[in-house]
Every structure is written in C-alpha cells, then in structure tokens.
Amino acid sequence: MAEQLERRDERPPARFDLGYAPAPESTDHVKVRADNGLLIGGRWVAPVSDRHFKTINPATEEVLAEVAEAGDEDVDAAVRAARGAYKVWSRMSGAERAKYLYRIARVIQERARELAVLETMNGGKPIKESRDVDVPLAAAHFFYHAGWADKLDYAFPGRRPRPLGVAAQVIPWNFPLLMAAWKLAPALAAGNVVVLKPAETTPLTALRLGEILQEAELPDGVVNILTGAGATGAALVGHAGVDKVAFTGSTEVGKQIQRTLAGSGKKLTLELGGKAANIVFEDAPLDQAVEGIVNGIYFNQGHVCCAGSRLLVQESIAEPLVAKLKRRMATLRVGDPLDKNTDVGAINSRAQLEKIQELVAAGEEDGAEAWQPPCELPARGFWFRPTVFTRVAQSYRIAQEEIFGPVLSVLTFRTPDEAVEKANNTPYGLSAGVWTDKGSRILDLANRMRAGVVWANTFNRFDPTSPFGGYKESGFGREGGRHGLAAYLDLS
Ligand code: NDP
C-alpha cells in the first residue's frame, strides 16, 4: 500500500485544464483622491514647497494619484503640532485613550473592503492577502493595544510607566497599512503622539488611515502623516523635537538612522532586513512543509522581512521535497492582484524588480540552478515569476543577501548541528522555521538559532500579542506584545 502511494506521488499531476474564470474584486467603491495633502495638526494641508509626486499601481503602471512631498518646514510643523497635542493626549486617562483605539479598530473593520482594495491597487499584493491578512491584522493591533492603554501599571508592575513624547515613525512599502498599525497602536496606547512617514511608493492606505483617525475623532495633532521619499524620512528622524524613532526598512537606512541618533539619548527601535532559514528535517510532514515553504517565500511576492528565503533541507529528502515543491509552484497563479484567485501579485516597484533581477542574475552567474514554473505574465506592470534556486553554496549572494522577492535558495544539511550552523551563517537574525516531528528537536533548535522569531511546523504567523523583532543586522527592539509597549515607555 505504502509503495503504491509512493508511486502515485511520483506521477506528474493530472491536468484538469478547467481554468479559472476571472474573479476580479470591484474597485467601484474606492475613491482615490487625485491630489493628496499632508495631515498636520488635524488638517489636510499642501506642502510648503507645493511639491507633489505621482503614485502608481505597480500592476498596471497607471497613475493613481498625486501625493504631497513633505519638506523640512512641513516636518517641523508636524513635530510642533504633535508636541502641542502631547499635552492633551499624555494627560488623558488610559481608559479614555483606549476608547479612541477601539473606535479606530472598529472603523478599520467597517471600511475593510475599501482598505483592502486600495492596498492592492497601490502596492500590488494579491487581494486575498490584503483582505485576509493585512487589514484584519491592522484592526487586531488597535484592538489589542486598546486593551493595554489602561493597564500599563499592570504590564510593568512597580515601574511607573510614562510616555516618551513625540514618536517619529518611518515605515516601508511591503505592508503599508499593517506597518502603520504596528507603529501607531502601541505608541498611542502608551500616551505618545506621532509623526508617521509612509513609503514613497505606497502612501494611499496610510492617508486613508488618516481619514479614519479623523472619523474616530482622535484629537488634532495626536497623529500627523507626512508623505514623501527618503529625504522626508531623514528630516523627520533627525528633527530635534522628536523623542523616539521607530523604523522598519532596509538595514542600510537603519544604520544611517542609528548614526544620526547616536549620542542623542533618544529611544530607537529598528526592524530591518532578514534572510531566514526554513529548516526541513527528514521526519517532517512533507506536504505541510511544502505549504509552509510556499507561504514562507511567495507570500506577498517575497516582499517580507521575515520571509523564509533560504530553504535548508535534510539531504536524505532533498530530491523528493524539491520535486514536490516544484509541483506546488506550478499551481501558483501569478497575475492581476485584484483577482481573488491570484496567489502572486505584482512586484512593488520598478526599482525593486531591477534589484530582484540583478540578484537572480548573480545567482545564475555564481553557478546555482534556477527553476520557474511556466506562467504568462501581464504585458504591463512589474512582474517576477516564482523562482527556486538549487545547487546553492553558502557564499553565493542569493544565499547571503536579502532579495525581497519571490526567490528561494535551497541548501542542504546532514545533521542538526550543521542546520543550526548554516541557519546562523548570515548577518541577519530576524526569523526562522523548523519542520520536524520531534518536539525536543524544535526546542533545541529554537534555543540555538539567532533569530527573533522561530516558527515550528508553520511559517509567517503574526499576532499582535506576540513580540516580533531581530538580532544582529535585523535590528533591535520588539514590536507587539508587552515587549513592544515597553519600546514606547519610560520605565526608569
Ligand atoms: P528603505 O529602507 O529605503 O525604506 C524604508 C522607509 O525608510 C521608507 O519610508 C523610506 O522612504 C524611508 N527612508 C529612506 N531613506 C531614509 C533615510 N535616510 N532616513 C529615514 N528614512 C528613510 O527601503 P527601500 O524601499 O529602499 O527598499 C530597499 C531594500 O530594503 C529592499 O530591497 C529590501 O531588501 C529592504 N527592505 C526591508 C524591509 C523590511 O521590512 N525589513 C522593508 C522595505 C525594504 P521612501 O520609501 O519614501 O524612500
């Protein structure tokens, strides 16, 4: 019987070319404003310079809107507005602050469909992900932190927790709304005020969140939103009136920010890049592991800091596992992110696509073997086929550098010690995954891996109650859970 099953497993998949009917999500209910201002002190204002930039849909290259580019004077106005609002917000009781956070969470839920569609239009991620992951988790972060707002004394017994003041928060383009929620919710629960800078390519859901904050009647100036590019972010984190900086993005920019703040005594949390190992042992349930590998690297086109971009597979099962993986990859649907059947959407920007292409070319030049499932890509927009590299050596760039795209590098190991050594052989230390039948092995590996999060027999699970953050060049500080709150409080 077992033999028969094994043989059946080796046969190529039966092809029922029934096809999928298009299942596009409607965009009718999403009104994209042609011209967008900055949210400063509770008012939408034009930037002092009157400079704007275009934001596009990466799946079509169509211009969606013009967005304000905040300059130094706007940064200064936003920090001053936040400082003014701090008097009101920091003195408000925790129970009152909680009411606002609950209200924000409820409005996010009410406007979930609009937010999901807008996120997909501006960022290129599949609608099923923005609908089922990004938006529900954003609401969950506000709900969760609303619960903490009046319990800070219990969270840190004997410590007299006090807010820090004005928090400058700079976020990336891979989870635009969710990253805004990760940053805002704990800061506000702890009694801080905020100036938030979304990424240049994906400003639209952060701006819509600004409207939601107004709908929830959050006092003016408690949250200010400045759109712009890197220069806006640099001006914000370097502003003398800021008390705390929270940054998520590349390691390179994280290091620059660290240099800017060095010696200032300001609190800093950095959530940077990663090169996670997803380790599969021979006793793992292979079909589930394949699902976890696919989710680990092809979720959100691989634009995920904790993506399982290095597959470490025990040598004895490498061949059958890679064969199963390729069969599964061949079923991934790449294309229109607004189609509810799409698994892999558009690459976020031309610049990111070029970076992925460059690293994939380097992998081939180094001698690794690339495989991609056959699939047709749309004529316009930025696309990259799901890719798996075998014959990868640890020294190759594709095994060392963050690709931030749908590209997996497969390496093998023989013993648990070798797996740990290879998993830790990276400048990063954000996340890891272990697939095995043995609980003791999971605990042993989790202890020995230098990774902030270790998933066991699953991958890419997020929950607001669970602290998330890195070691080494993946940054420091935690977001989520009680640990994440501590980053926004003076506990001295
Ligand atoms: P960045 O680190 O440049 O962008 C993150 C955020 O920081 C954006 O809002 C960006 O603005 C802003 N920013 C840029 N320069 C500065 C600065 N000097 N001071 C303050 N803020 C700044 O990432 P990229 O978008 O350039 O992506 C490059 C690579 O970084 C990716 O290929 C990927 O490898 C990695 N990355 C990692 C992320 C993670 O979550 N760990 C997230 C995003 C990227 P703007 O975008 O407007 O320029």
Side-chain angles (χ1 to χ4, degrees), residues 12 17 83 177 213 354 441:
D17 276 330
R83 178 65 60 200
L177 179 72
L213 302 179
E354 284 167 1
R441 182 175 280 161

Side-chain angles (χ1 to χ4, degrees), residues 45-68:
V45 297
V48 171
S49 68
D50 211 25
R51 281 166 62 137
H52 290 74
F53 61 94
K54 291 181 174 46
T55 187
I56 64 165
N57 179 340
T60 60
E61 297 177 61
E62 167 203 0
V63 174
L64 293 172
E66 294 251 328
V67 178

Side-chain angles (χ1 to χ4, degrees), residues 170-174 197-200 228-230 233-234 237 247-250 253 256-257 271-273 305 352 355 402 404:
V170 178
I171 56 173
W173 42 262
N174 50 348
K197 210 288 286 174
E200 182 183 2
V237 300
F247 172 79
T248 298
S250 61
V253 173
Q256 277 177 35
I257 294 177
E271 203 270 89
L272 310 174
C305 48
Q352 189 58 29
K355 181 182 166 192
E402 186 176 47
F404 227 60

Side-chain angles (χ1 to χ4, degrees), residues 181-249:
W182 273 38
K183 295 273 181 287
L184 290 176
L188 298 181
N192 302 280
V193 290
V194 174
V195 182
L196 176 78
K197 210 288 286 174
E200 182 183 2
T201 57
T202 54
L204 295 184
T205 46
L207 293 172
R208 200 59 53 108
L209 183 61
E211 289 176 23
I212 289 174
L213 302 179
Q214 291 186 312
E215 196 180 327
E217 296 176 5
L218 191 73
D220 291 348
V222 171
V223 173
N224 305 272
I225 301 178
L226 298 179
T227 45
T232 307
L236 175 59
V237 300
H239 194 286
V242 158
D243 303 297
K244 144 96 192 174
V245 173
F247 172 79
T248 298

Side-chain angles (χ1 to χ4, degrees), residues 215-299:
E215 196 180 327
E217 296 176 5
L218 191 73
D220 291 348
V222 171
V223 173
N224 305 272
I225 301 178
L226 298 179
T227 45
T232 307
L236 175 59
V237 300
H239 194 286
V242 158
D243 303 297
K244 144 96 192 174
V245 173
F247 172 79
T248 298
S250 61
T251 296
E252 189 193 339
V253 173
K255 285 180 180 175
Q256 277 177 35
I257 294 177
Q258 204 172 4
R259 279 194 287 271
T260 304
L261 294 197
S264 69
K266 294 179 185 179
K267 266 210 175 185
L268 172 65
T269 37
L270 295 176
E271 203 270 89
L272 310 174
K275 192 73 190 174
N278 206 356
I279 305 175
V280 184
F281 283 92
E282 61 189 2
D283 63 348
L286 295 195
D287 289 323
Q288 279 104 312
V290 166
E291 289 309 306
I293 296 161
V294 166
N295 174 264
I297 186 64
Y298 303 119
F299 170 65

Side-chain angles (χ1 to χ4, degrees), residues 31-214:
K31 290 193 181 53
V32 184
R33 244 169 290 291
D35 188 8
N36 295 273
L38 308 166
L39 181 61
I40 299 180
R43 291 192 317 122
W44 292 99
V45 297
V48 171
S49 68
D50 211 25
R51 281 166 62 137
H52 290 74
F53 61 94
K54 291 181 174 46
T55 187
I56 64 165
N57 179 340
T60 60
E61 297 177 61
E62 167 203 0
V63 174
L64 293 172
E66 294 251 328
V67 178
E69 186 180 327
D72 291 358
E73 287 150 305
D74 306 302
V75 169
D76 194 46
V79 172
R80 273 192 282 117
R83 178 65 60 200
Y86 184 61
K87 295 186 195 85
V88 178
W89 189 249
S90 61
R91 289 177 195 158
M92 197 182 276
S93 72
E96 281 303 308
R97 286 200 306 271
K99 287 183 196 168
Y100 287 101
L101 293 181
Y102 277 122
R103 216 178 283 164
I104 295 163
R106 292 304 307 271
V107 184
I108 291 175
Q109 288 185 321
E110 279 165 23
R111 297 176 64 170
R113 190 154 158 249
E114 170 195 356
L115 288 166
V117 172
L118 192 60
E119 194 73 306
T120 285
M121 286 168 73
N122 200 195
K125 64 173 68 198
I127 184 71
K128 71 174 181 190
E129 291 178 8
S130 38
R131 181 195 62 199
D132 299 345
V133 181
D134 295 63
V135 177
L137 269 178
H141 271 268
F142 281 102
F143 274 126
Y144 172 73
H145 286 95
W148 273 127
D150 63 345
K151 301 176 195 68
L152 299 175
D153 289 334
Y154 299 95
F156 306 100
R159 301 289 291 277
R160 225 165 51 82
R162 280 147 307 169
L164 299 169
V166 179
Q169 304 184 325
V170 178
I171 56 173
W173 42 262
N174 50 348
F175 294 91
L177 179 72
L178 183 57
M179 286 301 110
W182 273 38
K183 295 273 181 287
L184 290 176
L188 298 181
N192 302 280
V193 290
V194 174
V195 182
L196 176 78
K197 210 288 286 174
E200 182 183 2
T201 57
T202 54
L204 295 184
T205 46
L207 293 172
R208 200 59 53 108
L209 183 61
E211 289 176 23
I212 289 174
L213 302 179
Q214 291 186 312

